[in-house]
Amino acid sequence: MPDAGPPDVPVPKLVGLMAVDARQAARENGVLIVAADRDDFERVAVEYVVRQYPLPGVEVPRDAVVTVWFDLGDGEGGGGGGAGVRVPRTPGPRGGGMRRELGAPDEPPTRTGSFSPCP
């Protein structure tokens, strides 16, 4: 009987982790990660993963690649993330919170619900 190779492993949940912790979790769970939106991924430490593909729990071959995306800070071309004081604004987003981790990699991240920016 031929060798079946290493067993498949479940993809860990990386959304919500800082980059440094996501890299460690990936190593510990037998997968590799790449950042679709960061060329300097190995130097990124404190940005948070907001989306991943494949989704957590999917069985993949050991050493398969999981793609992650980060919430870019102000001035980095995106999301309004980064450090700083967060002031609650009303009305808040509806629909159960952030939904950006859903969707395939070729689809842009989206938010659900309504949002009224301050004037």
Side-chain angles (χ1 to χ4, degrees):
M1 176 178 250
D3 182 16
D8 288 351
V9 295
V11 173
K13 180 177 182 199
L14 303 173
V15 172
L17 297 179
M18 287 191 297
V20 66
D21 296 328
R23 285 190 296 268
Q24 180 178 349
R27 265 191 312 273
E28 290 172 356
N29 287 280
V31 295
L32 306 172
I33 60 173
V34 297
D37 56 354
R38 297 302 299 257
D39 293 334
D40 60 344
F41 176 59
E42 289 304 317
R43 294 189 316 250
V44 173
V46 297
E47 276 106 356
Y48 287 89
V49 175
V50 296
R51 188 172 165 209
Q52 75 178 72
Y53 187 83
L55 296 175
V58 172
E59 296 280 328
V60 296
R62 183 170 295 283
D63 296 327
V65 174
V66 175
T67 304
V68 296
W69 289 263
F70 294 95
D71 188 21
L72 301 176
D74 291 335
E76 292 187 78
V85 176
R86 305 278 180 168
V87 178
R89 312 236 181 205
T90 54
R94 297 183 202 168
M98 217 168 30
R99 309 284 275 166
R100 288 185 280 181
E101 69 263 21
L102 302 177
D106 57 334
E107 298 173 3
T110 60
R111 293 183 187 200
T112 59
S114 62
F115 177 77
S116 299
C118 292

